[in-house]
Amino acid sequence: MFECRTGEKPELCPVYKVDVRFQKLLLSLMEEHAFLRLDGYYQGETFAVTGIHRQKEPEDREEPDDSFLQTLIHRLQSSQVFPQEEAPEEERFETLEGIKSFVKIGGITLPGQIRHWAERTLKELEDPSVSAEEKNHAKRALMLMLNVRWESTDFPPIDPWEARKILDEELYGLENVKQRVIETIIQINRTHTLPAYGLLLIGPPGTGKSRIAYAVGKILKLPCTVLDMSTIRDPEALTGSPRVYVNAKPGKIMEAFSRAGTSNIVFVINELDKADGEHTNGNPGDVLLTLLDNLGFTDVYMECAIPTGGVYPIGTANDKSKISGPLLSRFSVIEIPDYTPEEKKIIFTQYALPRVLKKVGMSKKECVLTEGAVDCVIRRFQGYTGCRELEQAAEHIAGNALYRIETERVAQVIYDEKAVERLLTGKNT
């Protein structure tokens, strides 16, 4: 029993009425004869816990608990939707004792295969017949796996107007592309799960493919992690290496989960058109298929199937023809056209240059370009796709203006067509 105050008078409440995720934790603390204060509210017959605090004496009112207990509580709460005014800062599990405590108390919040794997691996660490090297690998694997929050894959609805606003902030134009993106991910509103297919953004360099990917992360309220396929030459880089090797390590996919600290992520796969290619040990593109099938991904080093139900893949590529049919079939393909000269002009004047000026702490009045100067910038890079060169030009012009303001003690720098031409061709004096 514990004392529950829902009104002016306290009342007794059975422990079994507490959220099932917290029952083992409370029983463990009660064995220590600890005085506890539970924050929460009744949800039907269940008492939904939003916070647990140790108290030295029953009358103590505001004595926060130690950081390890708060980390346990936050991990236990990660898959529920009960509101918290402020989530405690999480500590990573860096000791075996911390891992053992979490598996014992919070194991119910882990996916079944990971819970069984963790229990089996902990027994392996206690086995005297296991070598010290194998134990070190097992401990590292436990640290990686249990420092990921394995969260619920039941996703909240998306506000299409808010999604559109986020995309508009990141990109100018591309109306059809934005519409397709929203149409694809808004399926969550009916299914409460991620779409069956990821997004594949295909278009020339500099057209905003990566910006769209990060914008989708903001819309879904998920962290983004990036995998660059141009750097992958060996499938083992993705799957990890067997623990029999002294220098064995997990693959980049497992490392991405570890960096993000959560199982629900937007996985940005850059340069997907470079994924396929037979190398000495196989084809990296084949490894990606197991991730994209959403049936779980097995890392050789971890020796455990990793749930991927909370992974939303977004691929980017320049050349669709270089992507294999099996990979293409795992995505909703959106082709991104290049911008017209008029669109590039608007992007430069209303987005690129103002963004750069803000970054360096300058006002629009301090760096002014005439109409002819803007036309000169657009003509200068008319043979280039996308807007990267325009953004670099904005950086160059703003940097030059700031230099002149600071060294010449002027209040404003105005660039005409000739001044921009000299600056961008390197003939500025």
Side-chain angles (χ1 to χ4, degrees):
M1 304 288 286
F2 69 95
E3 190 178 272
C4 176
R5 185 186 294 273
T6 56
E8 292 185 4
K9 294 183 179 181
E11 59 185 72
L12 292 177
C13 177
V15 171
Y16 70 80
K17 285 194 173 183
V18 175
D19 184 336
V20 65
R21 288 176 245 202
F22 291 90
Q23 287 177 12
K24 287 188 177 181
L25 175 59
L26 288 172
L27 290 170
S28 175
L29 292 169
M30 287 175 180
E31 287 174 3
E32 300 176 16
H33 303 287
F35 287 114
L36 305 173
R37 189 188 82 229
L38 272 64
D39 299 328
Y41 54 89
Y42 271 107
Q43 189 176 55
E45 291 295 313
T46 302
F47 185 79
V49 178
T50 58
I52 300 176
H53 302 272
R54 285 186 191 269
Q55 295 187 213
K56 295 178 182 177
E57 299 294 337
E59 61 270 11
D60 288 349
R61 282 191 275 170
E62 198 68 38
E63 190 69 34
D65 196 5
D66 60 272
S67 58
F68 179 71
L69 175 58
Q70 295 303 325
T71 296
L72 276 177
I73 294 165
H74 188 45
R75 292 293 292 269
L76 292 172
Q77 286 176 320
S78 64
S79 60
Q80 65 182 28
V81 294
F82 304 133
Q84 298 182 70
E85 289 186 5
E86 186 176 346
E89 183 177 346
E90 279 206 21
E91 289 187 348
R92 293 180 64 83
F93 294 128
E94 296 180 345
T95 65
L96 278 179
E97 287 306 311
I99 288 174
K100 288 177 182 178
S101 295
F102 178 67
V103 173
K104 176 184 175 183
I105 295 167
I108 194 173
T109 66
L110 295 172
Q113 70 268 38
I114 291 180
R115 181 173 69 251
H116 296 314
W117 170 85
E119 291 169 349
R120 187 176 67 250
T121 306
L122 285 170
K123 288 179 181 178
E124 182 182 331
L125 290 172
E126 296 172 354
D127 187 343
S129 66
V130 177
S131 69
E133 184 178 301
E134 289 176 298
K135 288 183 177 181
N136 285 335
H137 282 314
K139 181 180 176 182
R140 182 185 181 189
L142 278 168
M143 298 291 184
L144 283 169
M145 189 74 84
L146 297 187
N147 277 304
V148 175
R149 295 189 307 277
W150 298 99
E151 301 187 87
S152 166
T153 54
D154 187 19
F155 288 88
I158 292 171
D159 180 351
W161 299 105
E162 181 64 24
R164 179 58 194 247
K165 179 181 176 184
I166 291 172
L167 288 170
D168 285 343
E169 288 173 351
E170 292 295 330
L171 293 165
Y172 170 77
L174 300 179
E175 299 302 318
N176 292 336
V177 172
K178 293 175 183 176
Q179 181 72 19
R180 281 287 312 282
V181 169
I182 296 173
E183 286 173 358
T184 302
I185 62 176
I186 205 172
Q187 298 171 34
I188 293 172
N189 292 7
R190 295 298 178 92
T191 65
H192 299 289
T193 59
L194 291 174
Y197 299 94
L199 287 174
L200 176 54
L201 308 171
I202 295 179
T207 48
K209 298 185 295 293
S210 295
R211 284 186 182 275
I212 293 174
Y214 290 119
V216 171
K218 289 175 68 176
I219 292 168
L220 296 177
K221 297 181 175 62
L222 296 179
C224 289
T225 187
V226 178
L227 180 64
D228 191 343
M229 293 309 298
S230 66
T231 65
I232 306 298
R233 292 291 179 267
D234 189 337
E236 195 174 273
L238 300 177
T239 61
S241 48
R243 296 187 200 171
V244 294
Y245 301 117
V246 175
N247 60 346
K249 61 181 181 179
K252 291 182 178 293
I253 292 175
M254 183 62 219
E255 288 178 343
F257 278 107
S258 181
R259 284 195 306 273
T262 175
S263 58
N264 294 350
I265 55 177
V266 169
F267 211 116
V268 183
I269 309 172
N270 278 334
E271 300 193 77
L272 190 67
D273 44 353
K274 297 179 181 177
D276 284 302
E278 288 299 331
H279 300 283
T280 306
N281 296 324
N283 183 356
D286 292 340
V287 177
L288 285 180
L289 293 177
T290 60
L291 173 70
L292 301 172
D293 280 337
N294 206 17
L295 299 175
F297 177 84
T298 298
D299 185 287
V300 174
Y301 180 87
M302 302 302 291
E303 299 179 355
C304 180
I306 303 166
T308 54
V311 175
Y312 191 57
I314 301 180
T316 70
N318 298 329
D319 189 347
K320 180 180 175 181
S321 66
K322 293 182 179 180
I323 303 174
S324 67
L327 275 178
L328 272 177
S329 69
R330 267 68 175 185
F331 291 97
S332 294
V333 179
I334 300 178
E335 301 204 22
I336 303 175
D338 194 10
Y339 295 100
T340 66
E342 274 307 308
E343 287 175 328
K344 289 184 176 183
K345 188 172 181 180
I346 294 172
I347 289 169
F348 178 78
T349 57
Q350 298 184 18
Y351 292 86
L353 186 59
R355 186 162 52 236
V356 171
L357 292 175
K358 182 179 180 180
K359 184 173 71 173
V360 299
M362 296 176 66
S363 70
K364 294 179 181 180
K365 293 180 179 179
E366 291 178 294
C367 178
V368 178
L369 275 71
T370 66
E371 187 76 16
V374 173
D375 290 337
C376 178
V377 173
I378 304 305
R379 283 197 308 273
R380 174 72 182 166
F381 300 107
Q382 63 183 353
Y384 295 82
T385 61
C387 298
R388 286 180 187 160
E389 285 73 21
L390 296 182
E391 291 172 354
Q392 291 171 1
E395 293 269 5
H396 192 177
I397 293 168
N400 180 262
L402 182 60
Y403 170 79
R404 291 178 59 185
I405 288 171
E406 294 294 323
T407 59
E408 299 174 12
R409 304 299 181 188
V410 296
Q412 183 185 63
V413 179
I414 300 176
Y415 293 91
D416 59 17
E417 183 175 350
K418 291 183 179 179
V420 166
E421 180 69 25
R422 289 196 302 269
L423 187 63
L424 296 182
T425 55
K427 297 177 181 179
N428 188 51
T429 57

